[in-house]
Amino acid sequence: MHVTVCLAAEDASPWMDLFGAALPGAHVERREPDAPVAAGAPRADYVVAAHPCRTVFDEQPAPRAVFTVSAGVGHMLRLPNLPRDVPLIRVEDAGMGAQMVRYVLAAVLGFAQRLPAYAAQQRAVRWEQHSPRAPASLAVGVLGLGVVGAAVARALAAQGFAVRGHARTAKAIDGVRGFAGAEGFAAFLDGLDVLVAVVPDTADTAGVLDRAALSRLADGAHVVNIGRGSALVEEDLVALLDSGKLSGATLDVFRTEPLPPEHPFWRRPEIAVTPHIAGLTIPGDTVAQIAAKIGRLERGLPVTGVVDRGRGY
Ligand code: GLV
């Protein structure tokens, strides 16, 4: 079996050793993401594409499956040469979910404890106490209830927040009030104190968090985005912070990454910016997941995490 891992040299460690150990007997080879197409390259049974990998599919037009090392696959679906009739398989959780739960809990508990407001008071050298807020008095909405979003919603419910969840199709999660589809979107948003977005980058999610949507949140609401930056209309967020409608945001993903130095988000004290770290790929867990799926495919068994290209994730 031949496995081509499309990965830059500086990222080769620890991935290549892990793949070698997890796939004994396979020929595992690293390919530079933008290497020129090599005529006569050995045919890969499987391609593992660590993004961005623009030329690999000109060389490998018909592998048995393509794997990503990320949960999000928008960048793959935009590749013009991605083979059509081949399963594209994304990472499912593999240690990301627990990290993202902790990231969201830090942001939402911080908001509940009014830490951003007290930070603003500190900048203004102002000593002023506010009454405590019980989690049950705060409505927190999770937009996107995939593996990660559902885990986030459950963790928020366990903290006692009044949790709502929104997905394309209805999903039942204990302790979470469910909303679905375009028809349920406004009711989901209405009066939320915190909105947590965990949606992938698809045609349906592009720009959903615009002025109209964000204006439905409670006055002084906080926005958390850990999915993809394309969901948020960044100018609209800034305008609603300027007007005082929203009080702040915790953002891990952006329309352009890395976030350009001149971007206004960097200099807004009400916005916490992190560099796309809420759910980092854990190499050991990810390689184990991919190797297990290759094992199943080799035995003719079905695997989970196959991207529905029409849906976009
Ligand atoms: C991270 O953003 C991922 O998609 O895995």
Side-chain angles (χ1 to χ4, degrees), residues 258-269 271 273 275:
L259 189 64
E262 64 283 3
H263 197 288
F265 284 176
W266 284 115
R267 280 164 281 277
R268 297 292 300 225
I271 301 182
V273 168

Side-chain angles (χ1 to χ4, degrees), residues 149-160:
V152 165
R154 272 187 227 104
L156 290 165
Q159 291 294 325

Side-chain angles (χ1 to χ4, degrees), residues 69-73 96 226-228 253 276 279 281:
V69 299
S70 58
V73 295
M96 270 179 216
I226 57 166
R228 282 293 182 265
V253 289
H276 202 139
T281 299

Side-chain angles (χ1 to χ4, degrees), residues 4-262:
T4 294
V5 182
C6 184
L7 187 67
E10 67 260 31
D11 299 324
S13 174
W15 290 94
M16 296 312 295
D17 286 347
L18 289 168
F19 274 115
L23 296 166
H27 183 79
V28 185
E29 164 203 78
R30 189 183 66 79
R31 181 189 190 279
E32 274 300 311
D34 288 329
V37 177
R43 184 186 169 280
D45 298 296
Y46 299 96
V47 171
V48 179
H51 47 125
C53 298
R54 281 178 279 270
T55 55
V56 69
F57 298 114
D58 294 331
E59 203 170 274
Q60 300 293 345
R64 274 181 235 160
V66 174
F67 292 90
T68 63
V69 299
S70 58
V73 295
H75 62 289
M76 296 295 294
L77 295 176
R78 278 191 290 275
L79 286 177
N81 57 357
L82 182 70
R84 285 201 182 285
D85 301 316
V86 166
L88 172 65
I89 303 170
R90 64 195 174 95
V91 172
E92 298 171 284
D93 192 341
M96 270 179 216
Q99 296 172 66
M100 294 170 94
V101 164
R102 290 193 293 268
Y103 183 100
V104 172
L105 286 178
V108 179
L109 289 170
F111 174 81
Q113 297 299 117
R114 302 186 200 272
L115 298 185
Y118 287 124
Q121 285 187 203
Q122 181 174 355
R123 288 190 294 273
V125 194
R126 196 167 75 240
W127 179 280
E128 191 186 343
Q129 296 178 332
H130 303 281
S131 49
R133 291 193 285 209
S137 71
L138 293 173
V140 181
V142 180
L143 179 64
L145 297 173
V147 179
V148 173
V152 165
R154 272 187 227 104
L156 290 165
Q159 291 294 325
F161 291 104
V163 182
R164 301 180 202 166
H166 182 282
R168 278 171 77 245
T169 52
K171 299 241 170 88
I173 300 176
D174 272 354
V176 177
R177 212 172 126 206
F179 297 81
E183 56 294 352
F185 192 50
F188 162 74
L189 294 169
D190 278 341
L192 284 178
D193 296 292
V194 185
L195 170 65
V196 181
V198 201
V199 285
D201 169 19
T202 70
D204 286 342
T205 62
V208 280
L209 300 181
D210 60 4
R211 180 186 281 267
L214 297 174
S215 297
R216 291 190 165 274
L217 307 184
D219 291 344
H222 189 94
V223 174
V224 180
N225 191 8
I226 57 166
R228 282 293 182 265
S230 53
L232 178 67
V233 180
E234 297 181 342
E235 299 74 11
D236 290 358
L237 175 73
V238 169
L240 292 168
L241 289 170
D242 285 343
S243 74
K245 168 66 190 174
L246 300 177
S247 65
T250 302
L251 305 177
D252 187 53
V253 289
F254 305 91
R255 205 159 53 199
T256 304
E257 296 181 13
L259 189 64
E262 64 283 3

